[in-house]
């Protein structure tokens, strides 16, 4: 199998869409990611996977904290901004939750501290201990075969 076939196969797995955010030296950084999962209930742990070359990898390594913002079906533009799919400069106002940046109106915002990190191929896996969370009602933004979808 080649890289393209592998990516196509992985695209057959429908996921939600998140924006990972963190702050270093007063500068907030965000990145769209769909490589996110819950790991444990006791303690409450989640996992994110970040490309080693991504700026966010360095930011989380320095900050030792991050947020996971699970996007609603109405937040596709927010996902596109942090995925670099919208090229014009769009200013995003972050709210603060537990001293960390979060995306307003996300279905869920998780404030996490890094519990463990693991090198895995060309990515770093960050296991985050959930310090606190916010939950709102709504429908999620989904991603399947390289396209955004809304659950209805």
């Amino acid at each position: 199998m080649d890289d393209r076939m592998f990516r196509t196969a992985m695209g057959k797995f429908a996921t939600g869409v998140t924006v990972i955010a963190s702050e270093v030296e007063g500068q907030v950084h965000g990145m769209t990611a769909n490589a996110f999962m819950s790991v444990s209930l006791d303690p409450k742990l989640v996992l994110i996977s970040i490309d080693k070359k991504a700026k966010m990898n360095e930011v989380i390594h320095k900050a030792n904290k991050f947020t996971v913002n699970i996007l609603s079906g109405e937040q596709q533009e927010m996902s596109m901004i942090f995925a670099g799919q919208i090229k014009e400069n769009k200013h995003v106002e972050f709210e603060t939750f537990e001293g960390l940046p979060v995306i307003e109106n996300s279905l869920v915002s998780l404030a996490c501290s890094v519990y463990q990190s693991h090198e895995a191929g060309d990515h770093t896996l960050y296991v985050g201990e959930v310090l606190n969370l916010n939950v709102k009602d709504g429908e999620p933004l989904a991603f399947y075969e390289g396209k955004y979808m809304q659950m209805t």
Side-chain angles (χ1 to χ4, degrees):
M1 90 189 109
D2 61 11
D3 290 353
R4 182 175 206 70
M5 180 183 282
F6 184 75
R7 286 182 70 101
T8 298
M10 294 303 97
K12 299 288 185 188
F13 183 65
T15 67
V17 181
T18 72
V19 170
I20 309 301
S22 192
E23 186 173 358
V24 170
E25 298 168 2
Q27 196 71 3
V28 175
H29 300 270
M31 180 190 105
T32 298
N34 62 354
F36 161 75
M37 65 181 280
S38 122
V39 173
S40 169
L41 192 55
D42 185 18
K44 291 168 184 59
L45 302 175
V46 296
L47 181 140
I48 58 173
S49 178
I50 308 292
D51 190 310
K52 287 180 183 176
K53 294 179 283 194
K55 174 77 173 161
M56 184 57 72
N57 191 41
E58 180 185 330
V59 169
I60 292 173
H61 181 76
K62 284 181 181 173
N64 216 37
K65 291 185 176 184
F66 60 91
T67 63
V68 178
N69 301 274
I70 300 174
L71 301 184
S72 76
E74 289 132 32
Q75 293 180 302
Q76 181 176 329
E77 182 181 40
M78 192 68 68
S79 172
M80 293 173 76
I81 290 168
F82 288 104
Q85 295 167 331
I86 294 178
K87 299 301 180 199
E88 70 228 38
N89 246 354
K90 294 245 184 192
H91 179 71
V92 175
E93 275 297 320
F94 288 89
E95 292 184 338
T96 301
F97 177 63
E98 297 291 332
L100 295 168
V102 293
I103 304 286
E104 184 179 13
N105 296 320
S106 296
L107 289 180
V108 176
S109 292
L110 305 169
C112 304
S113 64
V114 174
Y115 185 82
Q116 292 176 336
S117 65
H118 306 276
E119 303 294 312
D122 56 5
H123 279 61
T124 301
L125 306 178
Y126 288 99
V127 178
E129 184 168 13
V130 179
L131 306 171
N132 206 348
L133 57 82
N134 279 328
V135 180
K136 293 183 174 140
D137 288 331
E139 297 298 320
L141 181 62
F143 199 70
Y144 178 70
E145 291 188 327
K147 298 181 190 93
Y148 291 102
M149 303 178 72
Q150 293 186 10
M151 311 296 284
T152 53

